[in-house]
Each structure stands twice: as C-alpha cells, then as structure tokens.
Amino acid sequence: MSFFTAIEQYLELISSYPFVLQVAMYFIMFNSITAIIFIASIYLIRGNKDKEERIEEQLYPKQRAFILQNLASHELLISENVLTKYREEIGKLNNKTYDPLITALEDIIKDGKDVIENKNYRSIIKGLKIEEFLIKKLDFSNTRTRLRTFQSLSVLDLTVPDSSILPHTYSKNSFLRKESRSSYLAISNHDPFKFFDQQDNNLNYWDQINLLEQLEAHHKHNLPNFSKWIKYSKNNSQLIFIIKAVSYFNQRISIPALTNLLDTADHEVRKEAIIALGEMRVVEIEEKIKAMYHHQPVSCQNAIIEAVSAISSGDSLAFLKGIYVGANNLDTKKLIAEVIYKYNTEGQTHIDKLHLFEVGFNKLILEHIKNPLIPSRLRTERKNARHAQNSEPQFNTTNLGFSI
C-alpha cells in the first residue's frame, strides 16, 4: 500500500465520523505530517552540514599546503597555471570546496600580514578566482553569508566594484548596513571614507573596533584629515569614534578641531575630547581644562585628571592636591591620589605623608595605589602611551579607552 493510498483511505474513514471527530482527526493528520516534514528537514540539514564538515576536514590541510607552497615559490606564478595545478593536485573548485579554501587563506594571512605583499599572492587570488566567487556571494546569498563575505573581502585585502557593495550599505538590516559600510572602508577603490559624511552611522563599541581595525590595516599611511568630520558631524557616536581615531593615530593636524570641542554642550563628546588631547600630550590645553574642572560632571572631571596625568607637564601638582582635598567621590579620590603618586617624586612624597594620618577608606585608597601588585588602568594607559612615543600605533583597544 502506497503512502498516498493510505492517506486517501484515511480521509474516507474520517468522512464517516461526526463533525467534531472529523476536525480532531484532521488536526492529528496535519500535525503528524508537519512533524514528519520537520524531522526530515532536520536530518537533511544535519546531513548536509556533516558532509560540508567532512569536505572541509579533508580539503583544508591540502588547500593550506597548496597555498603555502605557491607563496614560497621563487618564480613569479602565472594565474592560469595556478588553477591548472590546483585541479591536478586537489580537484575541482565549487561552492563547497571554496569555503575551506578561503578559510585556509584567511588563516595564513592572520598568521602573517606580509603574506598579502608576497609577489605570488595576487596570482593565487586571480588564478583560483576567489574574488569572483566572493562577489557572487554578495549578490546571491542570505544576510548571514553576506556578512561573512564582507569580512573575507576585508581580510584578503580585495577591492571590488562599488556597484557590488553600495546596495548593501543602504540595507534596512542594520547589521548588514554596518558591516558593508565598514568593509567599504577597506575594499572600495573609489571613495572609501564617503560614509563618514552620513548622519545615520550609529556606532556601538564593536562597530568602532571594526572601523578602527580597517583604518589600521588599510589606511594607516593615507588617513584623511578628520577635522572636517569633527566640525560637521551631527551623530555623536560617530563623532566620538572620530575623536578616538585622531588620538590613536596621533593626527596633530586635527588638534585645533579637538580643542574647540572643549566648549561643546554634550558632556560625553567633551569627555572624549579631553581624553584625546591628554593622550596626544597637548600641553597648551592643560590650563584651560584645569580652570573648567569644578564646573564639569564627574565623567569629565575624571577625564581632566587623566589628561593632566598623561600630559605630565610637572606644573599641575598643586592643582591635583587641591582637588584631592575637595573630592567627595571615592572613585575620583582614588584616581586623583594615584595620579599624584605617579606624577613625580614630590607627588609620591606627598602621598607617603598623607598615608601617615589618613584613616578608614581614605587610608585604604592610599594603600591600594601604592601596591604595585594591584592592577591599575591608569598605569596601563601610561605604559602604553610611553611605548607609543617610540613606535608606530598598534591595534590595541586599551589605548583608546573605548567604553561600552
């Protein structure tokens, strides 16, 4: 008896029952068929996933070895020969075999960025038609795959036509829109910074990290002048990112624009400007931020204290002593005490004297900052800042003081 014959007989049987029982039996039949389809779909999806994993396990080591072998070649490879050699040694390239190939190439690049500068890197990309495959995935894939494709294009340092990227940069899906705009910064060959002119770039912590990584990887030596976006951006989250980028890349030309933000009405923007100017050692603003200290919210006051510490001109110990006495917030008091202790020898002596007669929490604060074994965010930032003076910027979010 076939399945359809059984269904037909079941329907005839149902028709002989009262209406209420018919409804119940139809409901049972519908749920049973739905459950069968659902279970079959699970097995099908799981089977396909297992097959993909088996293919990846088999191909990934071979593909990685093939790429490394070609990168190590002393001869300048011809792209057509790369594809022919791949087919002879490994096999065909299709949708399922491309995924482990791209993963292998990404892993090799992550192990050493100089891979991209290898004389045979572009021949491998062109010969294996990796760029063409990724562009097709942008046009004929779901959102999750498109997000992953944008990341791959960025890691592989591939530039694609703007027509392949732009439709996604205005997507209604916020995740796709943000990822495509971030990738546009790296893979556009026309105007990579165009989306800084938009006012709908609402950037969270991870968006800012992603953007900074793109700037560090692809534009470190040809950065735009950030001043124009500092002056005209109306989106505070983007403005805060621009301020942090100016500080991170030590873009001195943008200092006047940053200084103007000390008078802005938004205290979050003002706080970031103070921190950035401090990290950039702009001595000229020290007197101004000290004068405005008592009229600021706590977050800006803490930023001023950190800026004075970073500038470290040697002229602000009296100021620090005065605000320590007047501080009524324990966290702020601890920050001030630590800055005084690390400021200079006179500051350290002052803290040692205070420690002799302070009691309660105040004494505990001083013991805390004097203990070199207790981690300190301020000490870490000062150490990183000193290191930055003698080296090129490294991608380190601690330096940026990003806040979630």
Side-chain angles (χ1 to χ4, degrees):
M1 182 184 297
S2 69
F3 175 75
F4 292 105
T5 302
I7 291 293
E8 185 178 351
Q9 291 181 357
Y10 184 76
L11 292 175
E12 290 178 0
L13 179 64
I14 291 176
S15 63
S16 64
Y17 288 102
F19 177 74
V20 174
L21 289 179
Q22 287 184 33
V23 172
M25 294 182 75
Y26 276 122
F27 184 73
I28 292 170
M29 182 181 72
F30 173 77
N31 283 332
S32 299
I33 294 174
T34 302
I36 292 170
I37 294 173
F38 179 71
I39 293 171
S41 300
I42 291 175
Y43 276 105
L44 182 62
I45 294 170
R46 185 64 247 177
N48 288 336
K49 185 66 177 176
D50 289 341
K51 185 178 180 180
E52 289 175 4
E53 289 176 355
R54 286 195 300 272
I55 291 173
E56 184 166 349
E57 287 176 2
Q58 294 171 0
L59 286 182
Y60 177 88
K62 296 178 183 178
Q63 291 170 330
R64 183 183 176 94
F66 177 84
I67 295 169
L68 289 172
Q69 179 186 359
N70 283 271
L71 287 171
S73 175
H74 296 296
E75 300 177 1
L76 185 61
L77 300 177
I78 299 172
S79 56
E80 290 79 6
N81 293 345
V82 174
L83 182 58
T84 302
K85 186 178 178 182
Y86 179 91
R87 287 171 174 166
E88 291 174 353
E89 295 184 10
I90 300 178
K92 295 181 180 180
L93 273 172
N94 52 42
N95 288 345
K96 292 182 179 179
T97 59
Y98 261 118
D99 286 337
L101 174 66
I102 292 171
T103 301
L105 187 54
E106 288 178 354
D107 290 344
I108 292 171
I109 291 172
K110 289 173 183 176
D111 289 341
K113 285 286 186 181
D114 57 337
V115 170
I116 294 175
E117 306 301 325
N118 186 286
K119 64 181 179 181
N120 287 319
Y121 176 73
R122 298 296 167 182
S123 297
I124 294 170
I125 293 290
K126 185 177 179 181
L128 299 180
K129 300 180 181 180
I130 291 174
E131 189 172 301
E132 295 175 22
F133 172 75
L134 290 174
I135 291 175
K136 286 180 182 178
K137 287 184 76 173
L138 286 179
D139 296 328
F140 304 105
S141 300
N142 56 35
T143 298
R144 183 173 177 272
T145 304
R146 284 172 177 167
L147 289 171
R148 180 71 182 86
T149 303
F150 276 123
Q151 293 168 1
S152 295
L153 286 166
S154 177
V155 171
L156 300 180
D157 194 34
L158 301 179
T159 56
V160 298
D162 285 9
S163 58
S164 299
I165 316 171
L166 283 174
H168 307 298
T169 60
Y170 295 98
S171 170
K172 292 181 180 179
N173 184 303
S174 62
F175 295 105
L176 181 59
R177 184 173 65 250
K178 287 180 179 181
E179 186 63 43
S180 58
R181 289 186 179 186
S182 175
S183 298
Y184 188 88
L185 191 67
I187 63 183
S188 170
N189 52 14
H190 177 54
D191 181 14
F193 305 105
K194 69 176 291 180
F195 288 104
F196 285 154
D197 295 327
Q198 302 292 325
Q199 299 303 321
D200 61 345
N201 285 330
N202 296 313
L203 307 175
N204 60 29
Y205 174 85
W206 297 113
D207 299 330
Q208 293 182 27
I209 294 294
N210 195 11
L211 278 173
L212 186 75
E213 190 172 25
Q214 302 293 8
L215 289 173
E216 171 74 21
H218 303 285
H219 301 287
K220 182 166 58 176
H221 302 298
N222 61 332
L223 290 168
N225 185 336
F226 290 119
S227 296
K228 63 177 180 177
W229 294 301
I230 292 176
K231 291 178 180 177
Y232 302 118
S233 180
K234 303 299 181 184
N235 185 306
N236 278 6
S237 65
Q238 177 175 283
L239 178 56
I240 287 171
F241 166 74
I242 294 293
I243 293 169
K244 291 172 179 175
V246 168
S247 171
Y248 180 78
F249 292 105
N250 197 27
Q251 191 177 78
R252 312 298 294 184
I253 196 173
S254 296
I255 287 175
L258 273 185
T259 303
N260 290 336
L261 292 179
L262 295 179
D263 300 317
T264 188
D266 189 284
H267 70 271
E268 281 297 319
V269 173
R270 188 164 65 251
K271 178 194 76 172
E272 296 298 339
I274 293 168
I275 292 173
L277 289 165
E279 289 177 347
M280 296 171 74
R281 305 293 204 284
V282 183
V283 180
E284 294 79 10
I285 58 96
E286 187 172 28
E287 292 304 318
K288 179 169 182 174
I289 61 176
K290 288 193 294 186
M292 57 193 279
Y293 176 86
H294 294 288
H295 309 290
Q296 301 299 311
V298 172
S299 60
C300 290
Q301 287 182 335
N302 290 346
I304 291 171
I305 296 164
E306 291 186 25
V308 167
S309 173
I311 293 170
S312 195
S313 66
D315 300 326
S316 298
L317 187 57
F319 165 76
L320 293 169
K321 290 178 182 179
I323 61 174
Y324 175 82
V325 173
N328 52 19
N329 180 298
L330 287 177
D331 289 334
T332 301
K333 203 174 187 73
K334 176 182 176 293
L335 179 62
I336 300 169
E338 185 170 7
V339 171
I340 293 173
Y341 190 70
K342 304 298 292 183
Y343 197 68
N344 54 26
T345 304
E346 187 182 346
Q348 186 171 342
T349 302
H350 180 73
I351 293 298
D352 289 336
K353 290 179 180 178
L354 283 178
H355 185 257
L356 295 176
F357 61 84
E358 288 280 27
V359 295
F361 280 111
N362 288 343
K363 191 177 186 70
L364 187 61
I365 285 172
L366 299 182
E367 290 174 352
H368 187 283
I369 65 163
K370 291 175 67 175
N371 188 342
L373 298 179
I374 297 177
S376 165
R377 175 171 173 261
L378 180 62
R379 291 191 190 107
T380 303
E381 289 180 350
R382 292 293 298 278
K383 180 180 178 182
N384 288 335
R386 285 194 298 271
H387 174 72
Q389 287 181 316
N390 302 313
S391 62
E392 290 188 3
Q394 299 296 316
F395 185 65
N396 187 337
T397 56
T398 305
N399 286 355
L400 287 171
F402 274 26
S403 56
I404 300 177

